[in-house]
Amino acid sequence: MDKLISISQLSYKLNLISPNNKKPKNYILRYWEKEFKQIKPKIINKQRYYTNKDIEIFKLIKHLIKDKGITINGVKNILN
């Protein structure tokens, strides 16, 4: 079975952290989750947990948006 990580752990892993208060930017991951149908978190006790497959998709999305400057719609076209 895949190891599951929480949304906050994933935010830290992807370096999606607010520079001011050092808190994770979970809202970004929740937004991407709504926009990209490929991401399907496991909901356990009303908390999101992500598999390795989800993590790889998030890494790709972050790379394309943050590093390459591609728009959300552009990334959707790439992933479909």
Side-chain angles (χ1 to χ4, degrees), residues 27-58:
Y27 61 91
I28 294 174
L29 298 178
R30 286 192 296 271
Y31 176 74
W32 288 350
E33 184 183 312
K34 279 191 238 173
E35 292 295 317
F36 298 98
K37 304 298 183 225
Q38 296 88 342
I39 301 168
K40 295 177 178 66
K42 308 266 188 248
I43 307 294
I44 303 171
N45 294 331
K46 298 182 184 178
Q47 292 187 349
R48 291 172 167 83
Y49 290 94
Y50 299 97
T51 63
N52 288 335
K53 180 183 173 193
D54 295 326
I55 294 167
E56 292 305 314
I57 293 170
F58 273 120

Side-chain angles (χ1 to χ4, degrees), residues 14 32 54-66 68 75 78-79:
L14 295 176
W32 288 350
D54 295 326
I55 294 167
E56 292 305 314
I57 293 170
F58 273 120
K59 284 181 182 178
L60 178 61
I61 291 168
K62 181 182 181 235
H63 173 71
L64 293 172
I65 292 172
K66 301 286 185 182
K68 298 289 185 182
V75 175
I78 291 170
L79 293 180

Side-chain angles (χ1 to χ4, degrees), residues 9-32:
Q9 291 172 317
L10 183 55
S11 291
Y12 284 113
K13 187 173 193 139
L14 295 176
N15 201 26
L16 294 172
I17 303 163
S18 174
N20 300 336
N21 59 13
K22 306 291 189 235
K23 291 189 178 180
K25 295 182 179 179
N26 295 343
Y27 61 91
I28 294 174
L29 298 178
R30 286 192 296 271
Y31 176 74
W32 288 350

